[in-house]
Each structure stands twice: as structure tokens, then as C-alpha cells.
Amino acid sequence: MNNIKNIGFVFLAMMGLTIASCSNDFLDEEQTTKYSTDYFNTQQGLVDLSESLYGNIRWHFGYEWAYGTTLYGTDEFTNANDLTNEMWNTYDNRLGPIKATTATGAANGNATAPSDLWDEMYYGIASANTIIAKAPTVITDVKIRNRVLAHAYFMRGYNYYRLTAQYGGVVLQTEPVTTVVRSFTRSTEEACWAQVISDLRNAYQLFEGEIFTYGKGITWTKATAAHFLAKALLFRSSERNNAWNSAYKTSDYKEAIDACSYAITARGALTANYNDLYANWTGIDCPNEQLSEILMAAGYNGDATTVGRFGNRTYNYFDPQFSVFAGGWSARGVWIGGMDFQRCRPTEYSYAVFDHVNDARMWKTFKTVYGVNTVKTPNPNGVALGDPAVVMILNTKNDNTYNGYTFGAFVQNPTWKDVAGRLPAWGGASGTRQTPTAGSLTSKKGQFAPNSLVLYQNGTYVAPNFKSTPICNFFAGINKTEDGSRTAEKGDAHRDVTMARLAETYLVRAECYARLGQYGLAMNDINVVRARAQWKAGENRSYYIDGSVAFEKNALNAGTNATFYTNSNLNMNTYYLSNPGVAVTTAASDLTLKSFPANLPAEDEAIIAQVGASTDLDRALNFILDERTRELLGEWDRWETLSRTGTLIKRTKVFNPEAKYITVNKHELRPIPQSFIDGILNPDGTNLSSSQKAAWQNPGY
């Protein structure tokens, strides 16, 4: 994001004080730490502090917690062979109030602690509290005052949103704390949502519209506040809070619809091509990071001096372990957009939820082909650089084409052959990058592929069988974080991380309409999202791209690196191999819903049957959850969405076999960090009793 060049980390901790200020100009490269807290008694000090709030959102993508608290343990993702955060997916007894360590069964020392999110959100809240308390008297310029207050209310509302969504009722601290505080009161979930909504309403009212306050680009605006206000209102009135939320429901849905409508009207149409949102990322500060559909992003760039505590590490989490199961034929490196850390393995549901033929999002999201960048010996089949090395066929349950084939990691497959004429036209052995001809994968009939995978054989989901011990490490990863601009194999990524966009706003409004029984209006919003997902006339369904293309502008793109890059990234997918009954075509497809919530697409009807949804509202909500997967897969909020809608336990049990310890009336919330509870004192300074500590903890922990 080109407008976020300098992120000062200025956070007042609840139980202490640490100061670091950003420079006067948010676009400057300089960082300073020379200011005392007296600086925040000046207008410029509060402006700088409000600008620094953007740094707090970077934290979410700096380490293993990025996926552990948001994607694991849901219907969409399960763990692969890397077990760093396995407990967040399996819900076993290592997921508790105390961080799991190697001594208590963690695979390594990198496991996410329940206190990670808790601590970091309160840092941002403390800074926001300082601004909110001081700005009304310190800043005399009304426009500037409203601007910094809008940012502060948004940050506080967003951080309390994250805390309440994960933990339920939390400590509401809305005044600056400048001394050590050890006595706290836990607020109810109802009070917490009231605070979140109040803060986001204030931000919504104070933002000046779609004015990018701190430079050109996608910074927080009125539409950003509107989007999260709508999500907070919907959360308060969703199933997790049914014990107390009946008085809010109708008014919350209507207010959320109004907020969504502002954002939709203010930002205009969705980005025309789904590829442009994630896959077609061509380098640092490229135009795709400034799309009007993006409502909020954590901003990154190539300036090492402004990385701060947390660089973008998300490129590590979605690739399978290709360098291992490829037997060395496809080595990893900076030229490949991601690292094969095999954290997030899609479930069967995450493949099956798509219309494999007509939904372009599937083929613009899943990476299904890796090229040969290292020729191994012996090589009796004559495999050459630029040939397909890893081929993942994402077929459907009723496909019998591959029943007699041998697939798997390390399987050098002599039975690989021309399938129904789908492998006739393209090969990368020439060493030059080119666009594949529609319908092609290779120029060699009877092409040998060192490693290959298929989802189904004989109607059975066999993909998990392609594994190393103890769990599958061979799967089609998603490409939304791939970054070819890295300057070291394990270095920081430089691309922004999208945190909210307009397609989700449409789906939030659709859900509110459905909850009000206005199914026709809900269907209209859903169809806007699905219209973008259709293949457009003239599109090459075989074509694939991801953020590894940024390597073309990388200073490292020379010599051997350039050769590795060309041979690794083949710009092709397995669309026709995965849909062997489909003739080569560049025709448009159609995903338009004709009725809702009756007579849904076959893939949705199959899922609804598995989860047992029967009423119109249950069918509608489960369809919207499916559509959220198709549109938002891997976009950091699935756990919260399922917890909100009361579907976390059921859908996770049905679609995520590894989550075998998930428990009703426990795992809908996260454990309150024991480190926090142990630090609390009674007002008279005495320690909490065992029963008092137990009262602080969420049920079941």
C-alpha cells in the first residue's frame, strides 16, 4: 500500500506505558522515539498517534496466529503435516488458558497462545483511548479533530470486535490508564457488543466520506466503518447471542442494511475480474492494492526500516509441501510466491462447495500446477525443465475418469497419459514464458508427471491418502498471499493483506435481508457477487496466475533465479483435467440464482443435506456460508463467522475430521488467558481465590 510508508508503533499498554512515535508525515520514512507522553497533549501528537493506529492491524498477519485463531478448526481448513498449531484445529486439551509448549505437547515453540490476540488488541485500544480522551480539548480545528477521533473510535471498535468475537465478554477499558491497574471487571457480552457498535457508529458519523485522509489509497474511510458496523450489528443479533439479543434483532438488521447500502453506493461496482483482487498481484504498491472494492487492508511495502515488530508472514501458510513430495523436481525459492510450510490444508468441503465447471473463482484461487525447475536423475521418462512437475486434479465425486490411475507423492507415474484429448497443446520446455492454449497442459502426449493428485476415485475422497507421516502434506493450496517480491526465501512479504472488501458487504446485507424474510432482496445481492464469479466470454479457463509474477520486477530475477522462475510458474491450471467431460470453450458461464432459498445449486443442496438444514432461514444461512467460502476462502474470519451463526460445531464436525475434540458449549469461545487472570487482584489488593479465577474463565476451560 503506497500510502502507508511509516507505521509508528505508539501503543499505551493497559498495565504499563511504552512510547514510540511516528514522524509528522505519514508518508515519511523516518521513525522517531524522542517524544514523551506530553507530546500527546499537542494537536500534532494526537495526529501522529492516530496515524500510528494503522500499525496495530499489521500484527494480525505477522505470525502463526494469523491462521490459528481465524481459519483452523472450521469447515474450510484443517492442519497438514506441520503441527505447529494443531491444537487450534483439533480442539484437544492443549488448547487451553495456558499456552501449549513442547513440555505440554506442542510440536514446537511457535504455537499460538490464547493471550496473543488479547494482549495486542488492548495495546491498540489504549492508544485509541488516549486520542478519544484528549482530542476534544487539545485539537481546536474541527476537521482535524473529527479525523483523529474517527480513527480512534474505529480502532477501538474494531479491536473490541475482535476480542468479543473470540472471547465473549471482556474487560471494557475506555479511559486512558497511566498507572498500573490490577483490578478489573469483566463485562457481559451484551455490554461489549454495545460498546463495539457505539464506537463504530461514532467512527461512521465522524469519517468525512471516501476521503483517504493519510495519503492516496485505501485507508480507513466512512465505508470501512460502515462495513464493520454492519458486521457488529449482525453479530449481536446472530445465534451465538440468542440468550439475550431478541430485543435487538429487527432494528440491528435494518441498521446493518443501511450501513451496507452506504458502503456499496459509495464504493461502486465490484472489481470486474476476481483475479485482480489477489492473483494478479504484480509487485509492491501495484494498482491492484488500490481497488475501490478494498475497504480495509494491512499495508506493507519494501522498506525494511518500517517493518516494525511484525512483517507479513502469510505467504507461509497455504502452500502444500511441494518441494518434498515433488521429490526435488520442483524446488522452492523466492521465485515461487509462497513457502511450502503446509499449515492450512483445504477440507473436502472447500473443494466440493464450488461449481467446478462454471465458477471461475475456484480456478483463480487454487494452485494446481507446479513446474519442473530441477531435473533429477535418473530420468528415464525424459522430463525437461518447464514440464509439469506437480499436477493436482480437482475432480468431483461422480467422476470416474481416474479410477484406474496411480496417483500420489513420489509416484513416478508411467500410466500418466492423454485423457480424453485434454493434454494436446502446450509445454514449457522452451524456457520462455507463454500463455497456455485453452484446454492444454502439455505438448507431450503420454506426458510423465513426477507427482500427481486426484480428489476422487471410485466415488471416494482419496486426496488425504497422499501424505507423509502422520498427516497429508499434498493438497491444492490457495494463492491469495503469494508474493514474488520477497528478497529472501523466508523474508517478509511486501504485499498488503486485505481485511475487508465490498463483496463481503453484499453478503452481509444479503444475510440481513434473509433474516428479515426478504429473500428476493437477499438473492439480488448474492447474484451481484456470483455474477463476478462467472467465466466471462473469451476467458481462457486453463490460464492461471498468482503473486509469484511479482518476481518479474524483483531485483533477484536474473541468471539462475530467472530460469527457476520461468520453469516453476507455468501459468496453467488443471481445469480440463478436472472436468474431463467439458469441451474446450471460451464461452461465458452462468451462476445466477433463479430461486432462493428453494432449489439451490446441486453443490449447495448436497452440503445442506449433510448439515441437516430444513427451514427456509436455515437453508438461506447455510447457502450464504457456502457463498462466503467461495468468495472469501482463507480471508481470516471463518471461525468468527461460524461461531456467530451457531454453526461452528455442526459444520466443523461434518466437514473437518481432524477436529474430533470440538465440544458444544465450550469451543464457541476461546479461553481467557490464564496469564491475565493470574495477574488480577481484588480491589483491596488481595489475590483472587480459586473460585474467583474460575468465574473469570469461559465455560469448559
Side-chain angles (χ1 to χ4, degrees):
M1 181 177 287
N2 60 20
N3 60 301
I4 297 184
K5 295 295 185 187
N6 177 36
I7 305 289
F9 291 89
V10 189
F11 303 125
L12 296 172
M14 289 181 65
M15 300 173 67
L17 189 65
T18 60
I19 300 298
S21 177
C22 65
S23 66
N24 291 347
D25 187 346
F26 201 47
L27 299 176
D28 286 349
E29 305 298 335
E30 177 189 4
Q31 287 187 330
T32 61
T33 55
K34 65 184 179 182
Y35 301 113
S36 72
T37 53
D38 290 340
Y39 185 54
F40 301 140
N41 293 321
T42 69
Q43 175 173 296
Q44 191 59 52
L46 293 179
V47 169
D48 286 350
L49 187 56
S50 72
E51 294 172 356
S52 79
L53 297 176
Y54 285 91
N56 193 223
I57 64 174
R58 278 184 166 184
W59 172 88
H60 295 283
F61 310 107
Y63 209 53
E64 306 281 348
W65 49 68
Y67 67 90
T69 62
T70 61
L71 302 178
Y72 261 13
T74 68
D75 52 1
E76 290 183 349
F77 288 100
T78 188
N79 58 273
N81 200 40
D82 181 275
L83 305 181
T84 297
N85 268 327
E86 180 188 24
M87 68 290 296
W88 290 86
N89 183 56
T90 62
Y91 296 95
D92 62 48
N93 59 14
R94 294 170 297 170
L95 179 60
I98 301 173
K99 177 182 178 178
T101 65
T102 53
T104 58
N108 54 57
N110 298 326
T112 297
S115 60
D116 288 334
L117 180 72
W118 180 280
D119 292 345
E120 196 68 25
M121 293 303 90
Y122 278 114
Y123 294 153
I125 288 166
S127 290
N129 285 342
T130 296
I131 295 169
I132 292 167
K134 293 179 178 290
T137 55
V138 170
I139 301 178
T140 57
D141 186 304
V142 174
K143 187 173 183 179
I144 295 174
R145 181 170 67 234
N146 287 348
R147 182 176 295 169
V148 300
L149 283 171
H151 282 78
Y153 278 119
F154 178 78
M155 179 87 277
R156 192 169 74 179
Y158 175 78
N159 281 13
Y160 273 127
Y161 178 102
R162 292 298 310 275
L163 286 167
T164 309
Q166 291 271 331
Y167 302 99
V170 297
V171 175
L172 288 178
Q173 179 63 50
T174 58
E175 300 291 334
V177 175
T178 57
T179 60
V180 174
V181 177
R182 297 283 299 274
S183 180
F184 298 101
T185 299
R186 185 179 181 184
S187 297
T188 65
E189 199 159 1
E190 182 175 9
C192 289
W193 284 118
Q195 183 65 52
V196 171
I197 290 166
S198 174
D199 282 346
L200 293 175
R201 279 177 180 153
N202 285 334
Y204 179 54
Q205 292 164 3
L206 288 166
F207 274 121
E208 303 163 60
E210 302 316 289
I211 296 172
F212 304 116
T213 307
Y214 297 127
K216 296 179 180 179
I218 308 302
T219 53
W220 306 340
T221 68
K222 191 178 186 74
T224 313
H227 176 88
F228 283 99
L229 173 59
K231 290 186 69 171
L233 290 160
L234 182 56
F235 207 128
R236 178 166 70 176
S237 290
S238 291
E239 285 73 11
R240 195 176 88 179
N241 299 322
N242 273 352
W244 52 263
N245 66 10
S246 59
Y248 299 103
K249 287 180 180 285
T250 300
S251 59
D252 278 359
Y253 300 148
K254 290 180 177 178
E255 184 180 356
I257 288 169
D258 289 342
C260 289
S261 297
Y262 169 80
I264 289 167
T265 300
R267 287 300 181 91
L270 299 182
T271 299
N273 188 343
Y274 192 79
N275 259 346
D276 289 339
L277 291 167
Y278 298 104
N280 194 26
W281 187 78
T282 57
I284 300 170
D285 298 336
C286 67
N288 304 66
E289 294 190 342
Q290 310 300 326
L291 297 171
S292 62
E293 180 172 339
I294 300 172
L295 300 175
M296 181 177 177
Y300 297 89
N301 56 47
D303 183 0
T305 67
T306 62
V307 171
R309 294 171 62 201
F310 302 107
N312 179 357
R313 311 301 294 179
T314 58
Y315 67 90
N316 288 308
Y317 303 134
F318 295 105
D319 276 322
Q321 201 176 21
F322 61 85
S323 66
V324 173
F325 61 66
W329 294 87
S330 187
R332 71 187 189 191
V334 291
W335 53 85
I336 294 181
M339 284 287 285
D340 56 353
F341 283 9
Q342 48 155 346
R343 299 297 200 263
C344 296
R345 174 165 60 98
T347 62
E348 179 183 8
Y349 159 82
S350 289
Y351 303 120
V353 73
F354 287 93
D355 179 334
H356 288 218
V357 174
N358 296 304
D359 197 327
R361 291 173 297 192
M362 181 173 190
W363 304 101
K364 295 176 180 181
T365 297
F366 287 107
K367 185 169 186 172
T368 58
V369 178
Y370 293 81
V372 172
N373 59 33
T374 304
V375 174
K376 307 295 288 185
T377 56
N379 182 13
N381 295 279
V383 173
L385 292 174
D387 283 347
V390 179
V391 177
M392 304 181 187
I393 298 174
L394 308 185
N395 63 337
T396 57
K397 189 172 186 177
N398 60 359
D399 174 44
N400 293 308
T401 303
Y402 302 104
N403 290 354
Y405 281 61
T406 301
F407 291 93
F410 299 112
V411 174
Q412 296 187 343
N413 190 354
T415 64
W416 186 265
K417 56 189 176 183
D418 184 44
V419 180
R422 303 293 177 225
L423 307 178
W426 186 82
S430 64
T432 58
R433 295 186 62 74
Q434 50 194 298
T435 300
T437 304
S440 62
L441 185 71
T442 175
S443 59
K444 301 177 184 178
K445 191 168 184 177
Q447 171 70 53
F448 168 82
N451 299 278
S452 52
L453 167 148
V454 68
L455 294 184
Y456 293 95
Q457 290 180 303
N458 299 302
T460 300
Y461 183 59
V462 297
N465 298 338
F466 309 133
K467 64 185 180 181
S468 62
T469 304
I471 298 171
C472 179
N473 66 345
F474 195 177
F475 53 86
I478 68 171
N479 65 10
K480 294 181 177 181
T481 61
E482 305 286 75
D483 184 353
S485 74
R486 305 191 322 275
T487 55
E489 187 177 51
K490 298 180 183 180
D492 287 320
H494 304 127
R495 65 181 298 173
D496 295 352
V497 181
T498 298
M499 302 177 73
R501 55 186 179 84
L502 207 59
E504 186 190 14
T505 315
Y506 273 102
L507 295 177
V508 168
R509 191 169 72 172
E511 184 176 337
C512 292
Y513 281 137
R515 290 178 180 276
L516 291 171
Q518 298 174 5
Y519 293 115
L521 292 174
M523 184 175 71
N524 290 343
D525 277 349
I526 293 166
N527 277 336
V528 171
V529 177
R530 289 174 69 84
R532 196 253 305 275
Q534 298 165 170
W535 293 109
K536 308 302 185 291
E539 277 197 283
N540 179 354
R541 300 187 186 189
S542 292
Y543 182 71
Y544 171 85
I545 192 172
D546 63 39
S548 61
V549 73
F551 193 73
E552 292 179 351
K553 300 178 182 178
N554 195 322
L556 300 177
N557 185 11
T560 301
N561 279 339
T563 301
F564 270 101
Y565 169 64
T566 299
N567 292 322
S568 302
N569 300 285
L570 305 185
N571 289 133
M572 61 172 73
N573 63 42
T574 62
Y575 177 87
Y576 290 101
L577 285 174
S578 302
N579 298 298
V582 175
V584 175
T585 180
T586 57
S589 64
D590 185 8
L591 293 174
T592 306
L593 293 182
K594 306 300 193 298
S595 65
F596 182 74
N599 302 315
L600 296 172
E603 56 272 12
D604 294 285
E605 292 289 1
I607 291 165
I608 285 170
Q610 288 178 273
V611 299
S614 57
T615 69
D616 281 353
L617 180 57
D618 281 346
R619 286 174 57 83
L621 293 181
N622 277 280
F623 175 86
I624 290 170
L625 289 173
D626 293 348
E627 193 64 33
R628 288 182 68 93
T629 294
R630 290 183 282 257
E631 181 67 26
L632 305 169
L633 182 65
E635 295 187 34
W636 318 110
D637 74 345
R638 188 62 172 185
W639 187 91
E640 293 172 3
T641 300
L642 296 185
S643 178
R644 169 178 68 79
T645 55
T647 60
L648 175 66
I649 306 298
K650 178 178 284 187
R651 288 180 71 106
T652 301
K653 281 189 171 183
V654 170
F655 299 121
N656 187 343
E658 283 74 34
K660 56 186 177 181
Y661 298 107
I662 192 169
T663 303
V664 175
N665 298 323
K666 177 180 180 180
H667 290 127
E668 298 91 338
L669 297 174
R670 305 303 197 184
I672 303 297
Q674 194 64 41
S675 56
F676 174 78
I677 295 175
D678 289 343
I680 300 173
L681 299 177
N682 289 310
D684 64 2
T686 60
N687 293 324
L688 298 187
S689 66
S690 296
S691 60
Q692 286 176 311
K693 288 185 178 182
W696 265 91
Q697 191 52 262
N698 280 328
Y701 291 103

